[in-house]
Amino acid sequence: MNQSPEETSTSDTEAKLAAWWKELLGVEVVRPEDHFLEIGGNSLMATVLSNRIESELGVEVSMVELFDTLRAVATLCDELLQEQTA
């Protein structure tokens, strides 16, 4: 049985980010190893994404940090969320 990229996400954060990336970038599939810039992202889109992460997840992620893989960005967001609750 094949799983969609969302089903193989390691966290809820990764699944949310994947959905946001797909919406922003207008792509059908986003894999955990995809890089934001490599699949069509740019600095304006990164600013929009950064603002959405801050408003919806409550953590601040810089544009430079967004220019990584989906999994790396999700891991960073999860770590920042854990620091807030520690």
Side-chain angles (χ1 to χ4, degrees), residues 3-83:
Q3 291 183 319
S4 73
E6 290 81 11
E7 293 172 321
T8 60
S9 294
T10 58
S11 71
D12 289 341
T13 303
E14 191 172 301
K16 286 179 188 174
L17 287 172
W20 296 341
W21 284 28
K22 287 177 9 180
E23 179 184 320
L24 263 176
L25 302 172
V27 296
E28 298 270 331
V29 176
V30 177
R31 291 177 287 283
E33 65 275 7
D34 284 339
H35 287 257
F36 189 75
L37 289 175
E38 292 176 2
I39 61 172
N42 59 42
S43 58
L44 180 58
M45 290 176 180
T47 300
V48 171
L49 181 59
S50 177
N51 290 337
R52 187 157 188 187
I53 289 170
E54 186 173 355
S55 69
E56 305 235 359
L57 298 180
V59 295
E60 289 185 38
V61 179
S62 73
M63 276 199 323
V64 172
E65 293 168 324
L66 291 175
F67 298 152
D68 205 337
T69 65
L70 173 64
R71 179 152 294 150
V73 175
T75 299
L76 173 64
C77 289
D78 285 338
E79 289 170 356
L80 292 171
L81 284 166
Q82 284 182 334
E83 286 176 13

